[in-house]
Amino acid sequence: MGTLQGRALTALLRVEGLTVRYGAGTGAAVSGLDLTVAAGELFVLLGASGSGKTTLLRAVAGFVRPDAGRIVLDGADLSDVPPYRRPVNTMFQSYALFPHMTVAQNVAFGLRGMDRAARAARVASMLDLVSMAGFAARRPSQLSGGQQQRVALARSLAPNPRLLLLDEPLSALDRGLREQTREEIVALQRRVGTAFIVVTHDQQEALAMASRIGVMRDGRLAQVGTPAEVYERPASRFVAEFLGAANVLPARLLEASGQGTVTEVLGVPLRAAVPAPAEGVAVLAIRPERVRLLPAGAALEPNRLAGTLEGSTYEGDRLIHAVRLADGTAMRVSAPLSDGLQGARLPPGTGVVLELPPEACMVLAE
Amino acid sequence: MRRTVLALGWLWLGLFLLAPLAIVVTIALSAAGEGMPPYVPPLQWSGGGLKIAVDPGPFQLVLTDPLYRHALAISLRIAFVATLGCLAIGYPMALAIARMPERRRNLLLLLVMLPFWTGFLMRINAWIGLLNDAGWIPRAIAALGLAAAPPRILYTDTAMYLGLVYAYLPFMVLPLYANLSRQDPVLREAASDLGAGPLRAFLTVTLPLSLPGVAAGCALVFIPSVGEYVIPELLGGPGAETIGRTLWSEFFDNRDWPTACALATVVLVLLLGVPALALRAARGRAA
């Protein structure tokens, strides 16, 4: 799916320069946003609350009117199309099942214009798809949260939309059910082939589900890319810290070329296998699981920093070491428990050397 | 604590509902008599023994004489039309208020209730002033060319219905508003999302979910309208011989307390049936 980015792709949805304000004088919830989603994609919009991701979703569904910009689906501008004429369906965060209708009536609601037999068949096949075939005659109030979630999914998919919007589809579920449902949604999306846009604030969910992730911040997309791209090559310090944990060190740029970058961190030269950012003050970031912990005696070559172990936290499958560098900077090192010294428990106060491999170093704009 | 509150409730019901009811039923079972009060109590001490003299006459009269059935039919018809009128005006009002921005709703609700802050009779008198032959409304109708001369409105059914709908409208609007404002707006969005235009979304989602509010509002308008005395008396024509007016004339003109009380009891039993049915309908919807 990495080929999707930046190429001429079969765009299903194009959002161009979208700006949405709630009321005059307030800041824009979405400002000048551009986004392209391809047919068959599972696109995840990831952001903190207030980042504008739900507003973007509601603008695509037609519930909020853009102040500027266009939303184009299959080449047709949707700006003046009301929600009930858009070939787009939404699965609402609260599911929004009609409490006075049965499960079957809920799923059939979007199936107008079909004859009775075709509609009944479609309802049956949708309920089958989400393993709710035996519940057709129940009311939503007689279902568990997980069952309601499935009915909401079946209802939103029943009219066979060009694009399905899912607003925090897992947030109302128990933790245990969430992971299983996440996999089911991905499997379902593969099976039906409909493009999904999923809104979430959960980075783990985003990484696990997405074919591409759009990270949102302050009404704009901070980065768009595959999960691996966004995690391993974050475009900014914000993205690096929002998606997963990151150690961030102040860095002075010494040398930059197409092949790599050399920075100086605490007087030690650090080579990174990536180009430097075009502008802005650079910082060096590295994921805790990519830092290697060496004994105190290890030679202080480039890409190695000396520090003191302050303590270790046991997390079952790994240890999280807290290390303080000479200048006081705190670093986290995540080490799998099977891994020699990396995983061994050391007494607090032990001197250690941290190795930051060049291929793991990210040079980012502050 | 809970017991005390419950006991207070029962005490209230006992003092102000059951005791008066017992008195009314007792009078209804008495024979009419001379003096003050003008009836012979059915239980009396006389000559050292308890004398029981229950007179079923008033109940028989009320249940058989077509005069009372006629009055009841008129009252039910008037209450029915008034309820429909309140529903037709009150539902759109309640819906409009419920869909206003939150900060404006309270002001509008206040305006709905504002007339309650002035005297009821004063407001009915104001209607008499508006509706009489020289009043603004008949003159305006004539001035607009809708009629050759100012039409006669006061002391007709039209005036009575105007007064009833005017007086009872808040009892329709408030329960409907309470229901409609509690409906989750995301349900309408879901209907719209699934292809329902505004009319279909209303008919399939908003309206069915509001039926308990409709039932409550209709009961609150219908029940007092059946027994309404003042508005038919002051605004209506002589043909509007309602239960309220019949009661009044039995009680004050004929001084026939037993018949008046028997009539009141029969109407009460009928009217208790209406809210019971409405409640059952509302429960059935909610389930």
Side-chain angles (χ1 to χ4, degrees):
Chain A
M1 282 296 197
T3 53
L4 286 167
Q5 201 184 5
R7 301 253 180 100
L9 39 85
T10 50
L12 173 71
L13 173 78
R14 271 187 298 125
V15 175
E16 299 168 356
L18 185 77
T19 299
V20 179
R21 279 186 199 86
Y22 289 118
T26 58
V30 172
S31 66
L33 185 140
D34 294 304
L35 172 68
T36 302
V37 175
E41 236 192 318
L42 202 166
F43 191 93
V44 174
L45 277 171
L46 174 68
S49 61
S51 61
K53 56 191 194 302
T54 296
T55 303
L56 172 57
L57 203 71
R58 289 174 61 77
V60 175
F63 299 129
V64 291
R65 267 193 87 79
D67 291 283
R70 297 201 310 157
I71 294 166
V72 179
L73 188 79
D74 280 326
D77 189 347
L78 291 184
S79 300
D80 295 316
V81 180
Y84 52 91
R85 294 224 181 84
R86 294 190 185 199
V88 173
N89 286 129
T90 307
M91 187 190 139
F92 294 86
Q93 184 172 8
S94 62
Y95 309 145
L97 296 176
F98 303 124
H100 56 302
M101 297 184 196
T102 63
V103 165
Q105 287 168 332
N106 265 283
V107 176
F109 192 91
L111 301 176
R112 278 240 296 190
M114 273 187 183
D115 67 65
R116 189 177 283 262
R119 186 161 44 194
R122 180 78 180 155
V123 169
S125 81
M126 290 320 293
L127 287 179
D128 214 34
L129 191 66
V130 295
S131 316
M132 287 293 289
F135 296 84
R138 301 263 192 111
R139 299 264 171 155
S141 59
Q142 296 167 313
L143 302 179
S144 72
Q147 291 168 335
Q148 289 181 19
Q149 198 258 10
R150 288 156 182 274
V151 174
L153 195 57
R155 184 179 71 172
S156 57
L157 270 174
N160 199 17
R162 293 289 290 143
L163 174 64
L164 185 69
L165 310 173
L166 300 93
D167 189 2
E168 302 270 6
L170 305 173
S171 66
L173 299 177
D174 294 336
R175 202 183 167 75
L177 201 53
R178 221 177 289 167
E179 210 162 306
Q180 183 200 335
T181 311
R182 184 173 88 192
E183 286 160 16
E184 284 170 3
I185 290 179
V186 172
L188 186 70
Q189 193 271 336
R190 297 242 165 87
R191 204 158 356 136
V192 297
T194 307
F196 280 21
I197 298 181
V198 176
V199 155
T200 181
H201 64 275
D202 184 323
Q203 40 126 343
Q204 216 59 49
E205 223 169 274
L207 290 171
M209 294 176 83
S211 58
R212 284 193 308 151
I213 296 177
V215 183
M216 283 201 73
R217 181 194 196 187
D218 297 337
R220 294 166 204 273
L221 280 167
Q223 188 175 2
V224 177
T226 65
E229 282 166 359
V230 176
Y231 186 77
E232 285 162 28
R233 293 281 168 261
S236 64
R237 176 178 181 168
F238 170 78
V239 175
E241 291 186 316
F242 191 74
L243 244 98
N247 293 298
V248 179
L249 297 162
R252 194 162 66 82
L253 214 56
L254 292 181
E255 195 186 313
S257 72
Q259 282 83 50
T261 314
V262 181
T263 57
E264 185 201 300
V265 175
L266 309 175
V268 177
L270 255 90
R271 213 158 47 74
V274 288
E279 52 186 80
V281 184
V283 294
L284 190 123
I286 186 166
R287 302 284 180 199
E289 70 273 17
R290 305 294 294 273
V291 180
R292 295 183 55 208
L293 192 70
L294 306 175
L300 278 176
E301 299 164 2
N303 281 51
R304 285 185 180 178
L305 299 166
T308 310
L309 184 73
E310 294 211 307
S312 307
T313 309
Y314 177 72
E315 290 197 352
D317 56 341
R318 66 200 152 170
L319 281 174
I320 305 291
H321 302 293
V323 174
R324 197 161 291 279
L325 301 182
D327 72 325
T329 307
M331 294 276 285
R332 283 158 59 84
V333 181
S334 168
L337 267 175
S338 54
D339 206 15
L341 180 62
Q342 287 271 25
R345 280 183 188 260
L346 294 169
T350 311
V352 289
V353 169
L354 301 181
E355 186 176 62
L356 285 56
E359 65 279 9
C361 288
M362 309 178 278
V363 184
L364 306 170
E366 174 61 83
Chain B
M1 180 63 203
R2 190 154 166 252
R3 264 192 199 175
T4 319
V5 173
L6 273 178
L8 272 174
W10 283 114
L11 190 69
W12 180 271
L13 279 177
L15 271 178
F16 299 111
L17 184 73
L18 294 178
L21 191 63
I23 293 170
V24 167
V25 172
T26 306
I27 299 176
L29 291 170
S30 312
E34 295 301 318
M36 190 65 215
Y39 65 92
V40 183
L43 302 176
Q44 272 185 330
W45 287 103
S46 88
L50 187 66
K51 201 179 122 207
I52 301 174
V54 171
D55 183 356
F59 271 111
Q60 278 170 357
L61 180 72
V62 164
L63 291 172
T64 53
D65 192 321
L67 170 78
Y68 303 108
R69 245 178 288 149
H70 186 60
L72 190 63
I74 288 177
S75 291
L76 290 176
R77 192 197 74 214
I78 288 172
F80 181 75
V81 174
T83 305
L84 277 188
C86 284
L87 187 62
I89 298 172
Y91 199 106
M93 266 176 84
L95 193 63
I97 297 174
R99 295 198 177 164
M100 288 275 168
E102 209 145 337
R103 62 203 154 72
R104 249 195 262 162
R105 290 190 206 160
N106 286 336
L107 177 70
L108 289 165
L109 283 178
L110 189 74
L111 290 176
V112 169
M113 289 185 283
L114 203 59
F116 279 121
W117 296 3
T118 58
F120 174 66
L121 284 176
M122 226 166 77
R123 288 182 281 132
I124 296 302
N125 274 315
W127 274 104
I128 292 174
L130 284 172
L131 294 173
N132 72 41
D133 294 354
W136 287 3
I137 291 175
R139 288 211 327 250
I141 289 172
L144 288 170
L146 298 171
R152 161 127 236 182
I153 298 180
L154 191 60
Y155 308 129
T156 65
D157 278 1
T158 311
M160 180 181 65
Y161 285 128
L162 273 175
L164 282 169
V165 170
Y166 162 78
Y168 286 108
L169 192 60
F171 294 100
M172 183 63 84
V173 171
L174 294 179
L176 274 174
Y177 167 79
N179 172 290
L180 291 168
S181 65
R182 263 190 328 226
Q183 278 188 20
D184 189 348
V186 82
L187 292 179
R188 263 189 298 138
E189 282 186 353
S192 176
D193 189 70
L194 291 164
L199 181 65
R200 187 173 167 237
F202 173 78
L203 292 176
T204 54
V205 177
T206 307
L207 183 64
L209 287 174
S210 72
L211 287 181
V214 171
C218 287
L220 281 180
V221 172
F222 185 84
I223 293 163
S225 294
V226 172
E228 177 65 40
Y229 167 73
V230 176
I231 295 172
E233 178 73 17
L234 293 183
L235 299 179
E241 236 351 289
T242 61
I243 282 287
R245 291 170 100 175
T246 309
L247 261 175
W248 178 278
S249 65
E250 289 295 355
F251 212 88
F252 294 100
D253 301 340
N254 301 344
R255 281 180 55 82
D256 186 352
W257 285 22
T259 302
C261 286
L263 185 58
T265 308
V266 169
V267 172
L268 180 73
V269 168
L270 277 175
L271 288 188
L272 279 178
V274 175
L277 288 177
L279 205 64
R280 187 177 287 183
R283 289 228 179 99
R285 291 282 164 193

